[in-house]
Amino acid sequence: MTVVLASDSNRLNLTNTTAGGNTSSPLIRGEVATTASLILTTRVAGDSAYRFLLTPDGKMQWGDGSAAKDTALYRSAAGTLKTDTKLYVGTTLGVGAVPDATNKVSVVQAADANTINSVNTVAGGNTNQPHVYLESATATSVGQSSRVTGDTSSRLVQLVSGELQWGPGNAARDTKLYRSAPQTTTLEGSLRVAGDLRHLGSTLGFYNGAGVAKVTGSRGGNAALASLLTALSTLGLLTDSTTA
């Protein structure tokens, strides 16, 4: 059946007047021999190809009207909706949660499983492009944070600069680790080492490198004491002010 309409009005208007609605029988029903058949197509006058296709299995395909369809949305497995190309979400996305205005992406996991699982299958690994890429306007912007449910502030914060901050979750963060200068890492707070601490460099300084203890008195002819004082002074553990 071909319907030609010369005015801006419905070509086909279907209305079901059943009080409960048509819950069993659709307004339009299409049945064909194979899933490759077409149920619905659309195009703009002058197009050489369809802009939209609907097949019996529910697969929807889109194109620009002049070439093959390049975008599709379909059921790939039980409970799975798939697209083979890109998916753009204009505002917010919720996974296991209702999207809200605060978070662009909301993910709620109700099982003891990975909330986000990222796998790179390149044989040599992803040596140039990271699994997670964070970019913001300033180095002091927050890149990521974590907290325990019920906390009033984040326990761990990583700034875009790479600075790490820790806190108790109910007050300001009090411990920081960051790059303060080229080849220099600074810790604001105390460091407690539960295991061994090994220094592999050639120099070691305490309290900014200047010795804080002084040894005085006569060394006499004690070569071992002289050697010890020299070694400790070199490490910055004391200032050798003794006399021979």
Side-chain angles (χ1 to χ4, degrees), residues 54-75:
L54 175 64
T55 51
D57 55 0
K59 184 175 184 178
M60 295 179 283
Q61 302 177 55
W62 293 265
D64 63 2
S66 62
K69 263 58 67 184
D70 50 50
T71 307
L73 187 64
Y74 59 96
R75 174 186 179 273

Side-chain angles (χ1 to χ4, degrees), residues 188-199:
E188 291 186 12
S190 302
L191 176 64
R192 180 178 179 181
V193 181
D196 296 334
L197 178 63
R198 185 180 181 187
H199 173 61

Side-chain angles (χ1 to χ4, degrees), residues 91-93 98-106:
T91 54
T92 59
L93 174 65
V98 177
D100 58 66
T102 303
N103 303 304
K104 289 297 184 181
V105 179
S106 300

Side-chain angles (χ1 to χ4, degrees), residues 1-12:
M1 179 176 66
T2 301
V3 180
V4 177
L5 190 64
S7 61
D8 187 3
S9 59
N10 296 328
R11 289 192 178 189
L12 179 63

Side-chain angles (χ1 to χ4, degrees), residues 174-209:
D174 48 48
T175 308
K176 298 179 181 180
L177 183 67
Y178 56 92
R179 174 186 179 272
S180 57
Q183 299 182 350
T184 304
T185 302
T186 297
L187 170 66
E188 291 186 12
S190 302
L191 176 64
R192 180 178 179 181
V193 181
D196 296 334
L197 178 63
R198 185 180 181 187
H199 173 61
L200 299 178
S202 58
T203 59
L204 178 65
F206 294 86
Y207 299 97
N208 203 26

Side-chain angles (χ1 to χ4, degrees), residues 89-165:
V89 179
T91 54
T92 59
L93 174 65
V95 180
V98 177
D100 58 66
T102 303
N103 303 304
K104 289 297 184 181
V105 179
S106 300
V107 181
V108 175
Q109 174 65 275
D112 187 3
N114 296 328
T115 302
I116 298 177
N117 186 23
S118 176
V119 179
N120 188 300
T121 58
V122 177
N126 50 312
T127 57
N128 296 312
Q129 300 299 327
H131 277 254
V132 179
Y133 175 77
L134 306 175
E135 180 176 337
S136 190
T138 64
T140 55
S141 298
V142 176
Q144 61 179 328
S145 65
S146 62
R147 65 175 63 193
V148 176
T149 301
D151 284 351
T152 56
S153 62
S154 297
R155 298 189 181 220
L156 170 65
V157 166
Q158 179 191 345
L159 304 184
V160 174
S161 64
E163 177 178 312
L164 297 174
Q165 303 177 4

